[in-house]
Amino acid sequence: MANILIFDANSVSRRMVTALLRNHGNCVRDVGDADEALRLVRLERPDLMIIDIATPDTDGCKFVVRMRCDPSLPQPRVLMRAVASVEAEARALTHSFGASFVIKPTNPELLLATVRATLGEPAPQERAPAADHEPVEMLVQPIARLLRRVAERSAQLEVARTALDLEIKKRIWAEHDLLHANRRLHDQVLRDSVTGLYNRGFLEESLAREKVRAQRHGHTLAVMMIDVDHFREFNDTLGQTAGDAILRSVGQCVVSLSRAEDLVARYDGDEFALMMANASRRIAWQRADLIRQRARSLEIGHNEDQLGPLTLSMGVAIFPEDGASTEAVLQAADRALISFKQAGRNVVAMGEMHGRARSASVKERNE
């Protein structure tokens, strides 16, 4: 059983080596501080020291020079470890120290074999004292060469790391820009460019999903069609800018009076649609009448003039009472809207039930 001291600033590395050597019957101590390592050399007189040549915090080369140049210290055998990129300089240096060398990371079998071979060599005290006549400068020169090599390698790694960081940042920026571009494209596909509301395509997709959910849970699904009365006259007389202002105002009015789970869309031209999941006929009618009344009080500015007052006509249909499919419900709501718009504007009309249309509000006679 050998008495081994491991000196390595990297705690993970030294603990792995410590565990390996202990499992093979050796008495092992590990340390990461140079002064503590010298103290243990003096007190425990290890048979072997395993030292990392160069780490970010500790220079193993200077430690060996310090130990070899102190005649009061025991001189254990030394096994030095270094990465492959500085192998040539490290081998020259370990030869000057009378030490063994192994590349790291090392597979366990090779490390154990190198440890056994090093322990089989004579201790430094038993060697011919040729190295005693060599000046310390002869030991320092290989250290300087090694440190220069390590510094060059560190600089190369830093350049590579900086380039890699820049490339990663560029990719993150590109992905960020692509994500925002995809979101903008997604909005363009799903939303109306004038009002910012969802478009007809998205409404029809959402209706299909809500129909399935309503069937599963036994709920109703209300669809409200909303038409701006006399919109073509506003648009033809005052121009498209005024028409767009009216559409935006009405759209925001409907959104402001909708529930969080409702969906508001621009259906076609001056026609809007409101989808209300799990809403009864009575709730849909009340919401329609509220929207109609609020629209009359809208203040829409155009060239320092006020447009309006606006009036709306509406048709409401309920799934599954007014249609077995979303297309049928949309058509029922649209027919209700057209029927009562022909009879008189500014009304709310309910959809078809049992083949008959019925009104849920009375036309305001004073207009």
Side-chain angles (χ1 to χ4, degrees):
M1 181 178 70
N3 183 15
I4 301 175
L5 177 62
I6 299 174
F7 174 40
D8 189 342
N10 188 320
S11 60
V12 175
S13 174
R14 71 172 186 264
R15 287 170 185 168
M16 290 178 59
V17 176
T18 297
L20 174 66
L21 296 177
R22 280 178 180 166
N23 289 339
H24 284 78
N26 299 289
C27 178
V28 185
R29 294 285 298 273
D30 66 278
V31 64
D33 178 75
D35 292 334
E36 178 65 12
L38 288 175
R39 188 184 72 82
L40 291 176
V41 168
R42 191 182 302 276
L43 292 178
E44 300 191 4
R45 306 180 68 87
D47 301 311
L48 171 68
M49 281 197 71
I50 300 178
I51 302 172
D52 194 342
I53 285 184
T55 65
D57 302 317
T58 307
D59 187 349
C61 302
K62 292 181 180 178
F63 175 85
V64 175
V65 171
R66 181 178 173 186
M67 183 176 67
R68 290 292 193 237
C69 293
D70 189 345
S72 68
L73 285 174
Q75 297 298 320
R77 301 168 183 84
V78 173
L79 172 59
M80 305 195 75
R81 303 172 70 216
V83 294
S85 59
V86 294
E87 179 180 0
E89 295 85 348
R91 288 190 181 279
L93 184 60
T94 53
H95 178 73
S96 300
F97 289 152
S100 300
F101 172 78
V102 66
I103 293 175
K104 71 171 191 177
T106 314
N107 67 69
E109 292 78 9
L110 177 58
L111 180 59
L112 289 171
T114 307
V115 167
R116 286 194 295 269
T118 305
L119 287 170
E121 296 177 356
Q125 300 95 303
E126 301 170 5
R127 294 178 182 270
D132 295 341
H133 303 291
E134 296 178 5
V136 175
E137 288 77 7
M138 295 296 292
L139 299 178
V140 175
Q141 288 177 4
I143 295 175
R145 289 196 297 270
L146 176 62
L147 294 180
R148 282 197 302 270
R149 182 73 179 92
V150 171
E152 291 171 0
R153 177 165 160 45
S154 298
Q156 293 170 357
L157 289 175
E158 181 63 22
V159 171
R161 186 192 65 79
T162 302
L164 180 60
D165 286 347
L166 182 59
E167 182 63 26
I168 291 173
K169 288 179 180 178
K170 286 181 179 178
R171 292 191 179 188
I172 291 174
W173 293 335
E175 290 177 1
H176 182 268
D177 291 342
L178 180 60
L179 177 61
H180 280 271
N182 286 337
R183 285 178 178 172
R184 289 193 297 270
L185 181 60
H186 185 262
D187 283 344
Q188 290 173 4
V189 171
L190 299 182
R191 291 188 179 274
D192 171 58
S193 59
V194 175
T195 63
L197 302 177
Y198 288 111
N199 58 26
R200 179 172 178 169
F202 185 74
L203 170 71
E204 291 174 345
E205 291 178 6
S206 302
L207 277 172
R209 289 193 299 269
E210 288 301 325
K211 174 204 166 189
V212 173
R213 187 176 291 111
Q215 288 176 318
R216 183 185 302 123
H217 299 288
H219 295 162
T220 56
L221 176 63
V223 176
M224 184 187 308
M225 303 300 292
I226 305 167
D227 185 84
V228 181
D229 294 334
H230 308 292
F231 176 77
R232 182 171 295 181
E233 297 174 20
F234 282 111
N235 203 55
D236 292 346
T237 303
L238 301 175
Q240 186 176 349
T241 302
D244 289 348
I246 291 173
L247 293 175
R248 283 191 290 269
S249 296
V250 172
Q252 291 306 309
C253 173
V254 177
V255 169
S256 67
L257 296 175
S258 301
R259 306 173 304 174
E261 62 270 29
D262 295 343
L263 186 146
V264 182
R266 184 183 178 190
Y267 192 71
D268 186 26
D270 62 333
E271 200 169 10
F272 297 86
L274 172 60
M275 180 185 75
M276 302 179 67
N278 194 22
S280 66
R281 193 176 296 273
R282 177 174 172 273
I283 292 175
W285 177 84
Q286 290 176 340
R287 189 58 49 89
D289 199 49
L290 181 61
I291 293 172
R292 182 181 61 85
Q293 294 179 37
R294 183 70 60 85
R296 289 180 58 83
S297 62
L298 288 177
E299 296 182 357
I300 307 172
H302 175 69
N303 294 335
E304 300 182 355
D305 296 326
Q306 291 295 319
L307 303 178
L310 295 179
T311 60
L312 305 178
S313 293
M314 304 179 187
V316 177
I318 305 294
F319 170 84
E321 297 176 25
D322 297 324
S325 67
T326 56
E327 293 83 359
V329 174
L330 280 169
Q331 290 171 6
D334 204 42
R335 283 196 300 269
L337 172 63
I338 294 172
S339 174
F340 284 89
K341 197 175 183 69
Q342 291 172 347
R345 301 176 189 273
N346 193 32
V347 296
V348 178
M350 299 306 290
E352 297 172 352
M353 288 186 62
H354 310 295
R356 293 184 304 164
R358 65 191 184 98
S359 175
S361 72
V362 179
K363 176 184 175 184
E364 293 186 7
R365 302 293 185 183
N366 295 328
E367 297 190 353

